[in-house]
mmCIF file of all heavy atoms in Angstrom:
data_model
loop_
_atom_site.group_PDB
_atom_site.id
_atom_site.type_symbol
_atom_site.label_atom_id
_atom_site.label_comp_id
_atom_site.label_asym_id
_atom_site.label_seq_id
_atom_site.Cartn_x
_atom_site.Cartn_y
_atom_site.Cartn_z
ATOM 1 N N MET A 266 73.994 115.279 93.791
ATOM 2 C CA MET A 266 74.299 113.891 94.144
ATOM 3 C C MET A 266 74.609 113.728 95.630
ATOM 4 O O MET A 266 74.383 112.669 96.203
ATOM 5 C CB MET A 266 75.479 113.386 93.307
ATOM 6 C CG MET A 266 75.201 113.337 91.813
ATOM 7 S SD MET A 266 76.644 112.827 90.845
ATOM 8 C CE MET A 266 76.805 111.127 91.377
ATOM 9 N N ARG A 267 75.120 114.801 96.266
ATOM 10 C CA ARG A 267 75.461 114.712 97.687
ATOM 11 C C ARG A 267 74.210 114.466 98.535
ATOM 12 O O ARG A 267 74.272 113.818 99.579
ATOM 13 C CB ARG A 267 76.174 115.987 98.137
ATOM 14 C CG ARG A 267 76.655 115.926 99.589
ATOM 15 C CD ARG A 267 77.422 117.183 99.982
ATOM 16 N NE ARG A 267 78.749 117.193 99.397
ATOM 17 C CZ ARG A 267 79.217 118.141 98.600
ATOM 18 N NH1 ARG A 267 78.426 119.160 98.260
ATOM 19 N NH2 ARG A 267 80.442 118.089 98.129
ATOM 20 N N ARG A 268 73.087 114.997 98.091
ATOM 21 C CA ARG A 268 71.844 114.808 98.852
ATOM 22 C C ARG A 268 71.390 113.353 98.815
ATOM 23 O O ARG A 268 70.770 112.866 99.750
ATOM 24 C CB ARG A 268 70.753 115.725 98.301
ATOM 25 C CG ARG A 268 71.028 117.218 98.555
ATOM 26 C CD ARG A 268 69.807 118.054 98.250
ATOM 27 N NE ARG A 268 69.461 118.028 96.831
ATOM 28 C CZ ARG A 268 69.895 118.923 95.948
ATOM 29 N NH1 ARG A 268 70.702 119.908 96.342
ATOM 30 N NH2 ARG A 268 69.546 118.854 94.676
ATOM 31 N N ARG A 269 71.699 112.677 97.730
ATOM 32 C CA ARG A 269 71.278 111.277 97.610
ATOM 33 C C ARG A 269 72.329 110.315 98.164
ATOM 34 O O ARG A 269 71.998 109.300 98.775
ATOM 35 C CB ARG A 269 71.025 110.943 96.130
ATOM 36 C CG ARG A 269 69.935 111.811 95.493
ATOM 37 C CD ARG A 269 69.791 111.460 94.018
ATOM 38 N NE ARG A 269 68.798 112.301 93.355
ATOM 39 C CZ ARG A 269 68.514 112.231 92.057
ATOM 40 N NH1 ARG A 269 69.160 111.354 91.290
ATOM 41 N NH2 ARG A 269 67.610 113.028 91.520
ATOM 42 N N LYS A 270 73.584 110.614 97.916
ATOM 43 C CA LYS A 270 74.706 109.801 98.369
ATOM 44 C C LYS A 270 74.538 108.330 97.995
ATOM 45 O O LYS A 270 74.634 107.436 98.828
ATOM 46 C CB LYS A 270 74.903 109.946 99.877
ATOM 47 C CG LYS A 270 75.504 111.295 100.272
ATOM 48 C CD LYS A 270 75.990 111.303 101.693
ATOM 49 C CE LYS A 270 76.697 112.621 102.001
ATOM 50 N NZ LYS A 270 77.210 112.683 103.380
ATOM 51 N N ASN A 271 74.267 108.122 96.701
ATOM 52 C CA ASN A 271 74.179 106.748 96.214
ATOM 53 C C ASN A 271 75.550 106.300 95.706
ATOM 54 O O ASN A 271 76.561 106.972 95.896
ATOM 55 C CB ASN A 271 73.122 106.646 95.105
ATOM 56 C CG ASN A 271 73.357 107.686 94.011
ATOM 57 O OD1 ASN A 271 74.445 108.252 93.901
ATOM 58 N ND2 ASN A 271 72.335 107.941 93.217
ATOM 59 N N ALA A 272 75.593 105.161 95.037
ATOM 60 C CA ALA A 272 76.862 104.612 94.556
ATOM 61 C C ALA A 272 77.538 105.547 93.551
ATOM 62 O O ALA A 272 78.767 105.680 93.551
ATOM 63 C CB ALA A 272 76.628 103.238 93.924
ATOM 64 N N SER A 273 76.747 106.208 92.710
ATOM 65 C CA SER A 273 77.307 107.124 91.714
ATOM 66 C C SER A 273 78.062 108.267 92.372
ATOM 67 O O SER A 273 79.103 108.725 91.870
ATOM 68 C CB SER A 273 76.188 107.680 90.822
ATOM 69 O OG SER A 273 75.537 106.638 90.131
ATOM 70 N N TYR A 274 77.557 108.725 93.498
ATOM 71 C CA TYR A 274 78.205 109.819 94.229
ATOM 72 C C TYR A 274 79.608 109.411 94.683
ATOM 73 O O TYR A 274 80.581 110.156 94.493
ATOM 74 C CB TYR A 274 77.344 110.213 95.429
ATOM 75 C CG TYR A 274 78.057 111.069 96.445
ATOM 76 C CD1 TYR A 274 78.253 112.424 96.218
ATOM 77 C CD2 TYR A 274 78.549 110.512 97.626
ATOM 78 C CE1 TYR A 274 78.920 113.211 97.146
ATOM 79 C CE2 TYR A 274 79.217 111.287 98.559
ATOM 80 C CZ TYR A 274 79.399 112.633 98.317
ATOM 81 O OH TYR A 274 80.061 113.414 99.232
ATOM 82 N N TYR A 275 79.741 108.241 95.255
ATOM 83 C CA TYR A 275 81.031 107.797 95.763
ATOM 84 C C TYR A 275 82.004 107.473 94.630
ATOM 85 O O TYR A 275 83.208 107.755 94.721
ATOM 86 C CB TYR A 275 80.846 106.588 96.673
ATOM 87 C CG TYR A 275 80.107 106.919 97.952
ATOM 88 C CD1 TYR A 275 78.776 106.566 98.123
ATOM 89 C CD2 TYR A 275 80.749 107.614 98.978
ATOM 90 C CE1 TYR A 275 78.092 106.882 99.297
ATOM 91 C CE2 TYR A 275 80.072 107.937 100.150
ATOM 92 C CZ TYR A 275 78.753 107.570 100.301
ATOM 93 O OH TYR A 275 78.078 107.892 101.453
ATOM 94 N N ILE A 276 81.482 106.878 93.546
ATOM 95 C CA ILE A 276 82.346 106.565 92.396
ATOM 96 C C ILE A 276 82.878 107.841 91.764
ATOM 97 O O ILE A 276 84.085 107.973 91.484
ATOM 98 C CB ILE A 276 81.581 105.723 91.359
ATOM 99 C CG1 ILE A 276 81.252 104.345 91.931
ATOM 100 C CG2 ILE A 276 82.382 105.590 90.071
ATOM 101 C CD1 ILE A 276 80.356 103.509 91.037
ATOM 102 N N LEU A 277 81.976 108.805 91.534
ATOM 103 C CA LEU A 277 82.388 110.067 90.926
ATOM 104 C C LEU A 277 83.354 110.825 91.822
ATOM 105 O O LEU A 277 84.346 111.389 91.346
ATOM 106 C CB LEU A 277 81.155 110.922 90.621
ATOM 107 C CG LEU A 277 81.419 112.233 89.867
ATOM 108 C CD1 LEU A 277 82.054 111.950 88.513
ATOM 109 C CD2 LEU A 277 80.111 113.007 89.687
ATOM 110 N N SER A 278 83.094 110.827 93.119
ATOM 111 C CA SER A 278 83.979 111.511 94.069
ATOM 112 C C SER A 278 85.368 110.883 94.082
ATOM 113 O O SER A 278 86.380 111.588 94.145
ATOM 114 C CB SER A 278 83.377 111.473 95.475
ATOM 115 O OG SER A 278 82.145 112.160 95.521
ATOM 116 N N PHE A 279 85.408 109.553 94.012
ATOM 117 C CA PHE A 279 86.690 108.852 94.021
ATOM 118 C C PHE A 279 87.527 109.211 92.793
ATOM 119 O O PHE A 279 88.703 109.584 92.910
ATOM 120 C CB PHE A 279 86.457 107.341 94.078
ATOM 121 C CG PHE A 279 87.706 106.532 93.885
ATOM 122 C CD1 PHE A 279 88.628 106.396 94.915
ATOM 123 C CD2 PHE A 279 87.964 105.903 92.667
ATOM 124 C CE1 PHE A 279 89.786 105.646 94.739
ATOM 125 C CE2 PHE A 279 89.121 105.171 92.489
ATOM 126 C CZ PHE A 279 90.031 105.037 93.520
ATOM 127 N N PHE A 280 86.918 109.103 91.613
ATOM 128 C CA PHE A 280 87.673 109.391 90.394
ATOM 129 C C PHE A 280 88.020 110.876 90.286
ATOM 130 O O PHE A 280 89.093 111.234 89.776
ATOM 131 C CB PHE A 280 86.894 108.934 89.162
ATOM 132 C CG PHE A 280 86.972 107.459 88.920
ATOM 133 C CD1 PHE A 280 85.883 106.641 89.193
ATOM 134 C CD2 PHE A 280 88.137 106.881 88.455
ATOM 135 C CE1 PHE A 280 85.956 105.276 88.993
ATOM 136 C CE2 PHE A 280 88.221 105.513 88.243
ATOM 137 C CZ PHE A 280 87.132 104.703 88.515
ATOM 138 N N ASN A 281 87.146 111.741 90.755
ATOM 139 C CA ASN A 281 87.474 113.165 90.768
ATOM 140 C C ASN A 281 88.694 113.435 91.651
ATOM 141 O O ASN A 281 89.572 114.223 91.301
ATOM 142 C CB ASN A 281 86.274 113.971 91.274
ATOM 143 C CG ASN A 281 86.585 115.449 91.385
ATOM 144 O OD1 ASN A 281 86.708 116.161 90.391
ATOM 145 N ND2 ASN A 281 86.730 115.934 92.612
ATOM 146 N N PHE A 282 88.755 112.761 92.797
ATOM 147 C CA PHE A 282 89.893 112.919 93.702
ATOM 148 C C PHE A 282 91.182 112.438 93.039
ATOM 149 O O PHE A 282 92.222 113.108 93.116
ATOM 150 C CB PHE A 282 89.638 112.135 94.994
ATOM 151 C CG PHE A 282 90.800 112.127 95.944
ATOM 152 C CD1 PHE A 282 91.092 113.234 96.725
ATOM 153 C CD2 PHE A 282 91.610 111.004 96.050
ATOM 154 C CE1 PHE A 282 92.171 113.221 97.597
ATOM 155 C CE2 PHE A 282 92.689 110.979 96.920
ATOM 156 C CZ PHE A 282 92.978 112.095 97.693
ATOM 157 N N ILE A 283 91.114 111.281 92.378
ATOM 158 C CA ILE A 283 92.297 110.729 91.706
ATOM 159 C C ILE A 283 92.792 111.687 90.622
ATOM 160 O O ILE A 283 93.996 111.995 90.538
ATOM 161 C CB ILE A 283 91.985 109.355 91.094
ATOM 162 C CG1 ILE A 283 91.679 108.334 92.194
ATOM 163 C CG2 ILE A 283 93.145 108.885 90.219
ATOM 164 C CD1 ILE A 283 92.822 108.069 93.132
ATOM 165 N N PHE A 284 91.875 112.163 89.786
ATOM 166 C CA PHE A 284 92.271 113.056 88.698
ATOM 167 C C PHE A 284 92.750 114.409 89.220
ATOM 168 O O PHE A 284 93.644 115.032 88.625
ATOM 169 C CB PHE A 284 91.116 113.245 87.714
ATOM 170 C CG PHE A 284 90.893 112.061 86.807
ATOM 171 C CD1 PHE A 284 89.635 111.491 86.684
ATOM 172 C CD2 PHE A 284 91.940 111.518 86.086
ATOM 173 C CE1 PHE A 284 89.428 110.400 85.855
ATOM 174 C CE2 PHE A 284 91.745 110.425 85.246
ATOM 175 C CZ PHE A 284 90.480 109.869 85.135
ATOM 176 N N LYS A 285 92.176 114.861 90.312
ATOM 177 C CA LYS A 285 92.610 116.128 90.892
ATOM 178 C C LYS A 285 94.047 116.023 91.401
ATOM 179 O O LYS A 285 94.856 116.937 91.197
ATOM 180 C CB LYS A 285 91.667 116.532 92.028
ATOM 181 C CG LYS A 285 91.883 117.946 92.540
ATOM 182 C CD LYS A 285 90.809 118.324 93.553
ATOM 183 C CE LYS A 285 91.013 119.762 94.030
ATOM 184 N NZ LYS A 285 89.947 120.167 94.992
ATOM 185 N N ILE A 286 94.371 114.910 92.062
ATOM 186 C CA ILE A 286 95.739 114.683 92.529
ATOM 187 C C ILE A 286 96.697 114.600 91.341
ATOM 188 O O ILE A 286 97.795 115.182 91.347
ATOM 189 C CB ILE A 286 95.826 113.400 93.369
ATOM 190 C CG1 ILE A 286 95.030 113.561 94.674
ATOM 191 C CG2 ILE A 286 97.278 113.047 93.675
ATOM 192 C CD1 ILE A 286 95.564 114.640 95.593
ATOM 193 N N TYR A 287 96.292 113.849 90.322
ATOM 194 C CA TYR A 287 97.108 113.702 89.111
ATOM 195 C C TYR A 287 97.406 115.052 88.467
ATOM 196 O O TYR A 287 98.565 115.370 88.143
ATOM 197 C CB TYR A 287 96.394 112.768 88.137
ATOM 198 C CG TYR A 287 96.733 112.970 86.686
ATOM 199 C CD1 TYR A 287 97.985 112.646 86.178
ATOM 200 C CD2 TYR A 287 95.773 113.481 85.800
ATOM 201 C CE1 TYR A 287 98.286 112.834 84.839
ATOM 202 C CE2 TYR A 287 96.065 113.669 84.473
ATOM 203 C CZ TYR A 287 97.323 113.350 83.987
ATOM 204 O OH TYR A 287 97.619 113.535 82.662
ATOM 205 N N ILE A 288 96.388 115.865 88.295
ATOM 206 C CA ILE A 288 96.566 117.174 87.659
ATOM 207 C C ILE A 288 97.440 118.079 88.520
ATOM 208 O O ILE A 288 98.318 118.794 88.003
ATOM 209 C CB ILE A 288 95.188 117.823 87.392
ATOM 210 C CG1 ILE A 288 94.443 117.039 86.309
ATOM 211 C CG2 ILE A 288 95.346 119.284 86.980
ATOM 212 C CD1 ILE A 288 92.991 117.443 86.142
ATOM 213 N N THR A 289 97.239 118.038 89.821
ATOM 214 C CA THR A 289 98.037 118.869 90.723
ATOM 215 C C THR A 289 99.511 118.502 90.656
ATOM 216 O O THR A 289 100.381 119.385 90.577
ATOM 217 C CB THR A 289 97.528 118.732 92.170
ATOM 218 O OG1 THR A 289 96.160 119.148 92.241
ATOM 219 C CG2 THR A 289 98.358 119.588 93.116
ATOM 220 N N ILE A 290 99.814 117.212 90.676
ATOM 221 C CA ILE A 290 101.204 116.755 90.643
ATOM 222 C C ILE A 290 101.863 117.099 89.306
ATOM 223 O O ILE A 290 102.982 117.625 89.252
ATOM 224 C CB ILE A 290 101.286 115.253 90.917
ATOM 225 C CG1 ILE A 290 100.872 114.952 92.364
ATOM 226 C CG2 ILE A 290 102.700 114.724 90.647
ATOM 227 C CD1 ILE A 290 100.798 113.472 92.679
ATOM 228 N N ILE A 291 101.172 116.815 88.220
ATOM 229 C CA ILE A 291 101.752 117.038 86.896
ATOM 230 C C ILE A 291 101.976 118.524 86.639
ATOM 231 O O ILE A 291 103.047 118.934 86.150
ATOM 232 C CB ILE A 291 100.847 116.440 85.794
ATOM 233 C CG1 ILE A 291 100.801 114.911 85.908
ATOM 234 C CG2 ILE A 291 101.343 116.852 84.412
ATOM 235 C CD1 ILE A 291 102.134 114.230 85.716
ATOM 236 N N ARG A 292 101.009 119.353 86.980
ATOM 237 C CA ARG A 292 101.149 120.784 86.728
ATOM 238 C C ARG A 292 102.104 121.450 87.718
ATOM 239 O O ARG A 292 102.605 122.536 87.451
ATOM 240 C CB ARG A 292 99.777 121.458 86.797
ATOM 241 C CG ARG A 292 98.809 120.989 85.720
ATOM 242 C CD ARG A 292 97.456 121.649 85.869
ATOM 243 N NE ARG A 292 97.515 123.067 85.546
ATOM 244 C CZ ARG A 292 96.518 123.917 85.758
ATOM 245 N NH1 ARG A 292 95.404 123.476 86.324
ATOM 246 N NH2 ARG A 292 96.637 125.180 85.425
ATOM 247 N N GLY A 293 102.370 120.790 88.833
ATOM 248 C CA GLY A 293 103.213 121.391 89.854
ATOM 249 C C GLY A 293 104.667 120.958 89.827
ATOM 250 O O GLY A 293 105.466 121.424 90.642
ATOM 251 N N THR A 294 105.025 120.072 88.883
ATOM 252 C CA THR A 294 106.410 119.602 88.792
ATOM 253 C C THR A 294 106.937 119.828 87.377
ATOM 254 O O THR A 294 106.170 119.777 86.406
ATOM 255 C CB THR A 294 106.515 118.109 89.146
ATOM 256 O OG1 THR A 294 105.627 117.354 88.295
ATOM 257 C CG2 THR A 294 106.124 117.874 90.591
ATOM 258 N N PRO A 295 108.252 120.043 87.227
ATOM 259 C CA PRO A 295 108.824 120.288 85.896
ATOM 260 C C PRO A 295 108.687 119.068 84.976
ATOM 261 O O PRO A 295 108.790 117.927 85.422
ATOM 262 C CB PRO A 295 110.293 120.590 86.193
ATOM 263 C CG PRO A 295 110.331 120.979 87.633
ATOM 264 C CD PRO A 295 109.247 120.197 88.297
ATOM 265 N N THR A 296 108.492 119.343 83.702
ATOM 266 C CA THR A 296 108.352 118.271 82.726
ATOM 267 C C THR A 296 109.600 117.403 82.666
ATOM 268 O O THR A 296 109.517 116.179 82.546
ATOM 269 C CB THR A 296 108.061 118.854 81.334
ATOM 270 O OG1 THR A 296 106.950 119.742 81.409
ATOM 271 C CG2 THR A 296 107.745 117.747 80.340
ATOM 272 N N VAL A 297 110.759 118.031 82.758
ATOM 273 C CA VAL A 297 111.998 117.267 82.658
ATOM 274 C C VAL A 297 112.143 116.301 83.829
ATOM 275 O O VAL A 297 112.649 115.182 83.667
ATOM 276 C CB VAL A 297 113.217 118.212 82.567
ATOM 277 C CG1 VAL A 297 113.388 119.029 83.849
ATOM 278 C CG2 VAL A 297 114.486 117.429 82.259
ATOM 279 N N VAL A 298 111.674 116.702 85.010
ATOM 280 C CA VAL A 298 111.729 115.808 86.173
ATOM 281 C C VAL A 298 110.787 114.622 85.953
ATOM 282 O O VAL A 298 111.127 113.478 86.284
ATOM 283 C CB VAL A 298 111.364 116.566 87.463
ATOM 284 C CG1 VAL A 298 111.291 115.617 88.652
ATOM 285 C CG2 VAL A 298 112.381 117.667 87.735
ATOM 286 N N GLN A 299 109.614 114.867 85.400
ATOM 287 C CA GLN A 299 108.673 113.790 85.099
ATOM 288 C C GLN A 299 109.278 112.812 84.097
ATOM 289 O O GLN A 299 109.134 111.589 84.233
ATOM 290 C CB GLN A 299 107.366 114.373 84.558
ATOM 291 C CG GLN A 299 106.640 115.269 85.539
ATOM 292 C CD GLN A 299 105.572 116.106 84.868
ATOM 293 O OE1 GLN A 299 105.133 115.801 83.758
ATOM 294 N NE2 GLN A 299 105.140 117.177 85.526
ATOM 295 N N LEU A 300 109.964 113.351 83.095
ATOM 296 C CA LEU A 300 110.615 112.499 82.094
ATOM 297 C C LEU A 300 111.693 111.633 82.733
ATOM 298 O O LEU A 300 111.785 110.431 82.460
ATOM 299 C CB LEU A 300 111.213 113.372 80.992
ATOM 300 C CG LEU A 300 112.003 112.652 79.897
ATOM 301 C CD1 LEU A 300 111.100 111.690 79.125
ATOM 302 C CD2 LEU A 300 112.642 113.661 78.947
ATOM 303 N N LEU A 301 112.491 112.224 83.599
ATOM 304 C CA LEU A 301 113.562 111.476 84.269
ATOM 305 C C LEU A 301 113.006 110.402 85.198
ATOM 306 O O LEU A 301 113.545 109.292 85.281
ATOM 307 C CB LEU A 301 114.455 112.437 85.053
ATOM 308 C CG LEU A 301 115.284 113.427 84.212
ATOM 309 C CD1 LEU A 301 115.985 114.421 85.113
ATOM 310 C CD2 LEU A 301 116.277 112.687 83.331
ATOM 311 N N ILE A 302 111.914 110.713 85.900
ATOM 312 C CA ILE A 302 111.284 109.725 86.774
ATOM 313 C C ILE A 302 110.768 108.538 85.958
ATOM 314 O O ILE A 302 110.952 107.370 86.326
ATOM 315 C CB ILE A 302 110.145 110.361 87.587
ATOM 316 C CG1 ILE A 302 110.717 111.316 88.645
ATOM 317 C CG2 ILE A 302 109.280 109.293 88.251
ATOM 318 C CD1 ILE A 302 109.669 112.100 89.395
ATOM 319 N N CYS A 303 110.127 108.838 84.831
ATOM 320 C CA CYS A 303 109.604 107.765 83.983
ATOM 321 C C CYS A 303 110.734 106.893 83.438
ATOM 322 O O CYS A 303 110.619 105.664 83.398
ATOM 323 C CB CYS A 303 108.798 108.359 82.822
ATOM 324 S SG CYS A 303 107.195 109.033 83.291
ATOM 325 N N TYR A 304 111.829 107.526 83.047
ATOM 326 C CA TYR A 304 112.915 106.777 82.398
ATOM 327 C C TYR A 304 113.766 106.001 83.391
ATOM 328 O O TYR A 304 114.100 104.825 83.161
ATOM 329 C CB TYR A 304 113.796 107.745 81.597
ATOM 330 C CG TYR A 304 114.850 107.049 80.761
ATOM 331 C CD1 TYR A 304 114.518 106.454 79.547
ATOM 332 C CD2 TYR A 304 116.170 106.977 81.190
ATOM 333 C CE1 TYR A 304 115.476 105.814 78.784
ATOM 334 C CE2 TYR A 304 117.133 106.334 80.431
ATOM 335 C CZ TYR A 304 116.786 105.762 79.229
ATOM 336 O OH TYR A 304 117.733 105.115 78.474
ATOM 337 N N PHE A 305 114.132 106.631 84.508
ATOM 338 C CA PHE A 305 115.058 106.010 85.450
ATOM 339 C C PHE A 305 114.379 105.259 86.590
ATOM 340 O O PHE A 305 115.034 104.485 87.290
ATOM 341 C CB PHE A 305 115.995 107.071 86.044
ATOM 342 C CG PHE A 305 116.978 107.620 85.050
ATOM 343 C CD1 PHE A 305 116.857 108.920 84.587
ATOM 344 C CD2 PHE A 305 118.005 106.833 84.564
ATOM 345 C CE1 PHE A 305 117.762 109.434 83.673
ATOM 346 C CE2 PHE A 305 118.911 107.341 83.641
ATOM 347 C CZ PHE A 305 118.783 108.647 83.189
ATOM 348 N N MET A 306 113.066 105.466 86.778
ATOM 349 C CA MET A 306 112.376 104.795 87.877
ATOM 350 C C MET A 306 111.276 103.868 87.386
ATOM 351 O O MET A 306 111.312 102.662 87.628
ATOM 352 C CB MET A 306 111.799 105.854 88.843
ATOM 353 C CG MET A 306 112.869 106.676 89.560
ATOM 354 S SD MET A 306 112.177 107.991 90.580
ATOM 355 C CE MET A 306 111.173 107.051 91.727
ATOM 356 N N ILE A 307 110.290 104.410 86.679
ATOM 357 C CA ILE A 307 109.131 103.612 86.294
ATOM 358 C C ILE A 307 109.482 102.595 85.214
ATOM 359 O O ILE A 307 109.097 101.419 85.285
ATOM 360 C CB ILE A 307 107.983 104.521 85.825
ATOM 361 C CG1 ILE A 307 107.574 105.478 86.945
ATOM 362 C CG2 ILE A 307 106.780 103.687 85.374
ATOM 363 C CD1 ILE A 307 106.510 106.473 86.548
ATOM 364 N N PHE A 308 110.227 103.039 84.182
ATOM 365 C CA PHE A 308 110.581 102.154 83.073
ATOM 366 C C PHE A 308 112.095 101.970 83.002
ATOM 367 O O PHE A 308 112.688 102.024 81.917
ATOM 368 C CB PHE A 308 110.058 102.726 81.750
ATOM 369 C CG PHE A 308 108.572 102.917 81.711
ATOM 370 C CD1 PHE A 308 108.018 104.188 81.837
ATOM 371 C CD2 PHE A 308 107.712 101.840 81.569
ATOM 372 C CE1 PHE A 308 106.651 104.377 81.799
ATOM 373 C CE2 PHE A 308 106.349 102.015 81.529
ATOM 374 C CZ PHE A 308 105.805 103.289 81.650
ATOM 375 N N SER A 309 112.715 101.747 84.130
ATOM 376 C CA SER A 309 114.175 101.657 84.187
ATOM 377 C C SER A 309 114.734 100.473 83.398
ATOM 378 O O SER A 309 115.898 100.483 82.988
ATOM 379 C CB SER A 309 114.636 101.566 85.644
ATOM 380 O OG SER A 309 114.061 100.430 86.282
ATOM 381 N N SER A 310 113.924 99.455 83.176
ATOM 382 C CA SER A 310 114.404 98.268 82.454
ATOM 383 C C SER A 310 114.301 98.429 80.941
ATOM 384 O O SER A 310 114.802 97.588 80.192
ATOM 385 C CB SER A 310 113.613 97.028 82.884
ATOM 386 O OG SER A 310 112.238 97.170 82.584
#
C-alpha cells in the first residue's frame, strides 16, 4: 500500500497508530492504576 499511497493507506496507517498507542499504554501500566483512572477521573460522576 505504501507504493500506492491512496486513501486506504492513510486510513489504515492512522488506525494502526491509534491502536498501537492504545496497546502500548494499556500493557505498560498496572491494571489497578487503569481502574483508578477510570473510576476517579473518566467516570468520576
Side-chain angles (χ1 to χ4, degrees):
M266 297 177 67
R267 184 177 285 122
R268 292 192 294 268
R269 300 177 182 178
K270 287 194 175 181
N271 52 17
S273 299
Y274 165 78
Y275 293 104
I276 293 173
L277 185 60
S278 297
F279 171 77
F280 282 106
N281 177 72
F282 175 77
I283 295 297
F284 284 128
K285 190 174 182 178
I286 294 297
Y287 154 69
I288 292 170
T289 300
I290 293 174
I291 294 298
R292 296 178 70 189
T294 56
T296 307
V297 65
V298 175
Q299 298 165 18
L300 177 63
L301 293 173
I302 289 174
C303 287
Y304 187 79
F305 291 110
M306 295 175 60
I307 300 176
F308 301 104
S309 59
S310 61

